Amino acid sequence: MEPMSGLFCDRVLLPDGWAANVALRFDGRGTLTAVERDAEPGGLPRASGPVIPGMPNLHSHAFQRAMAGLAERAGPSEDSFWTWREAMYGFVRRLTPEAAEAIAALLYMEMAKQGYTAVAEFHYLHHDRDGRPYADRAEMSRRILAAADTAGIGLTHLPVLYAHSGFGGKPPSDGQKRFINDVDGLLSIVAAMRDSMGDRAGRRVGLALHSLRAVTPEEMRDALAGLESIAPGAPIHIHIAEQTAEVDDCVAWSGKRPVEWLLDNAPVGPRWCLVHATHLTPNETDRLAASGAIAGLCPTTEANLGDGLFPAGPFLAKGGRFGVGSDSHISVSAAEELRVLEYGQRLVQRRRNVLRADEGSSIGGGLYRAAVAGGAQALGQPVAGGGIRVGQPADLVVLDADNPKLLSRDDDSLLDAYVFASDGHAVRDVVAAGRTVVRDGRHVREDAIVAAYRRAITGLRQDT
Ligand SMILES: [Zn+2]
């Protein structure tokens, strides 16, 4: 993957709207250094179609890609998030570092092909099969970084503090032993990864708290203080209020609902991403919007797990910010997350075009722009608002204007067709941090990545 010096765009979506004849220039790290309007192509390569900013994927558990589709058979009684989680624990017991890397590389390749140019990896699979740390405590984290290098996409790596199995500091279960760290152990992984990210645009570390179930208030406070000394200003992510059982347990423990408790007891602000935040009261919705934190929505996973529906209409009406993530990877498609987000609202409200800005505005275009900005914030990307701006990683998606689903569409009607009517083959080329990673719909390392995944998945099956 050779660094490019830039790209000439006949048509491109810039932060202030669509523009024609724009020359984008990159430095060797893959950062955008110039956005020149009314330019000539000069010696720059020319984009093969309309260019939109790459979508940041704000929530991923890479290993879960290998079990996508394996939990869709009816069990003996009612299936829920919690029965899915048992299936996931069974799968986790067998994973090796080599397999974890091969799975993540395949996933990140698929992300690139479907319009994601960077990912926030919410990483909690830390230890060996017996629950003991590897000789290098950051072994599994390094595998994630290696996978991002292989696939060529940006990475915000979020080692996860996971210490307990339930509110009030309950001891972890056997199925969770590969996830468990104390605060110092977790911070040593964060520090090791900060020093390993290399000099490439679109790479950084942050920290995740698995959930209020998994960390005590003291551990949360100590972890946040430790993060400040290792990586000041770094992103902080947490799973929250995904399940009504979790809300009930939180109320039993503290007298407060999870989002209410967090807003009252943690410095929640623009550095924070509250993943799911599905079950909110109107008051929590307003307060979350006012905090400036990102709501990390994962609509296809939330639908697959039967979580419930985030109150997107009231949240956006209050100026709330959101981005999207593929989480369990039951779907890996930037367009599909936005489509399912809007369709969930249509189904319950029995109306169309619910998540709208103002009259005449494009739903696909509005959702796409908002998720690019919110995703960039959640990943801790350099420039506020994200997208195609000087100082940002050069993360670009070239749509396939010859795809019959997109023919005769332009500008925001193109985004509407991409989000609502395309079939997964609407992305032609992808540039991540100034390097071409997808060309004509194929990843530049596709054969090698798929072959490594095939070996890994065959090995896992033999292990059972
Ligand atoms: Zn998650």
Side-chain angles (χ1 to χ4, degrees):
M1 293 177 198
E2 289 301 305
M4 304 157 68
S5 59
L7 188 70
F8 182 81
C9 311
D10 292 304
R11 200 80 186 150
V12 57
L13 179 59
L14 297 177
D16 61 353
W18 287 91
N21 303 320
V22 173
L24 306 174
R25 297 187 191 278
F26 322 144
D27 67 14
R29 297 181 66 246
T31 300
L32 263 166
T33 54
V35 178
E36 298 163 11
R37 296 164 189 259
D38 301 318
E40 300 284 333
L44 291 177
R46 195 174 200 136
S48 58
V51 177
I52 59 177
M55 180 65 72
N57 185 333
L58 59 59
H59 192 64
S60 164
H61 310 287
F63 73 86
Q64 292 179 11
R65 168 61 184 82
M67 53 174 288
L70 288 180
E72 308 300 324
R73 287 188 188 213
S77 59
E78 272 191 26
D79 291 309
S80 69
F81 170 85
W82 308 103
T83 55
W84 172 86
R85 196 177 71 156
E86 283 309 311
M88 186 265 279
Y89 286 176
F91 182 79
V92 153
R93 285 194 183 92
R94 312 198 297 271
L95 271 183
T96 61
E98 295 73 23
E101 179 179 338
I103 293 165
L106 179 93
L107 170 69
Y108 295 166
M109 175 194 86
E110 291 172 338
M111 285 186 188
K113 292 175 67 175
Q114 293 286 340
Y116 292 118
T117 43
V119 61
E121 180 65 31
F122 196 107
H123 174 75
Y124 58 82
L125 183 54
H126 298 297
H127 303 318
D128 208 339
R129 297 191 229 195
D130 59 6
R132 274 191 291 224
Y134 289 100
D136 172 2
R137 203 176 182 96
E139 167 78 34
M140 282 296 208
S141 284
R142 294 188 201 285
R143 299 292 183 156
I144 292 293
L145 176 59
D149 280 339
T150 300
I153 69 171
L155 174 69
T156 295
H157 188 60
L158 304 166
V160 175
L161 180 62
Y162 199 138
H164 304 286
S165 67
F167 289 97
K170 282 209 189 83
S173 70
D174 188 64
Q176 295 166 331
K177 65 188 173 192
R178 301 191 73 175
F179 313 155
I180 302 301
N181 277 294
D182 61 16
V183 172
D184 287 345
L186 193 274
L187 290 174
S188 75
I189 298 174
V190 176
M193 295 311 293
R194 176 201 60 192
D195 297 339
S196 305
M197 282 291 165
D199 185 35
R200 182 170 170 189
R203 296 267 193 270
R204 75 174 301 179
V205 293
L207 182 145
L209 307 164
H210 179 272
S211 57
L212 295 180
R213 287 180 273 128
V215 299
T216 64
E218 297 73 30
E219 287 161 345
M220 180 176 80
R221 187 192 60 218
D222 292 349
L224 296 182
L227 177 66
E228 246 359 70
S229 63
I230 296 167
I236 302 157
H237 290 217
I238 184 170
H239 286 139
I240 198 154
E242 179 180 9
Q243 293 289 320
T244 51
E246 175 196 344
V247 176
D248 297 343
D249 289 352
C250 189
V251 171
W253 166 68
S254 69
K256 292 184 177 180
R257 301 165 56 83
V259 170
E260 179 188 17
W261 188 93
L262 191 74
L263 289 166
D264 286 347
N265 290 281
V268 175
R271 286 170 62 192
W272 286 68
C273 177
L274 276 62
V275 179
H276 306 301
T278 307
H279 300 288
L280 300 177
T281 63
N283 182 255
E284 287 175 308
T285 306
D286 293 354
R287 291 182 65 197
L288 179 58
S291 75
I294 298 298
L297 307 181
C298 307
T300 63
T301 292
E302 289 153 8
N304 182 267
L305 295 177
D307 287 344
L309 213 52
F310 176 79
F315 181 73
L316 297 186
K318 291 285 175 137
R321 304 175 196 175
F322 76 95
V324 292
S326 55
D327 191 1
S328 70
H329 316 300
I330 192 69
S331 160
V332 183
S333 160
E336 190 170 14
E337 294 303 335
L338 297 175
R339 184 187 319 147
V340 173
L341 174 63
E342 167 70 17
Y343 281 175
Q345 301 299 320
R346 292 186 189 188
L347 286 164
V348 290
Q349 299 196 20
R350 287 177 279 165
R351 289 195 291 128
R352 298 192 66 251
N353 302 341
V354 178
L355 301 176
R356 53 197 282 156
D358 37 39
E359 188 181 340
S361 66
S362 146
I363 303 300
L367 290 174
Y368 197 87
R369 287 173 174 86
V372 165
Q377 182 179 319
L379 267 65
Q381 291 185 345
V383 185
I388 301 173
R389 299 175 201 258
V390 170
Q392 272 284 98
D395 288 347
L396 310 166
V397 168
V398 183
L399 293 176
D400 180 4
D402 296 324
N403 182 312
K405 304 263 188 183
L406 302 187
L407 274 180
S408 88
R409 305 286 191 269
D410 58 16
D411 297 355
D412 274 8
S413 71
L414 187 71
L415 284 174
D416 282 331
Y418 174 50
V419 169
F420 290 106
S422 75
D423 56 4
H425 301 287
V427 171
R428 175 175 277 173
D429 300 323
V430 176
V431 173
R435 289 155 174 83
T436 295
V437 295
V438 173
R439 186 177 291 118
D440 268 334
R442 272 185 70 80
H443 192 275
V444 295
R445 292 178 175 154
E446 186 146 347
D447 293 340
I449 290 172
V450 172
Y453 177 76
R454 191 189 303 274
R455 282 194 300 277
I457 210 76
T458 308
L460 282 173
R461 212 175 289 137
Q462 284 161 355
D463 262 11
T464 47

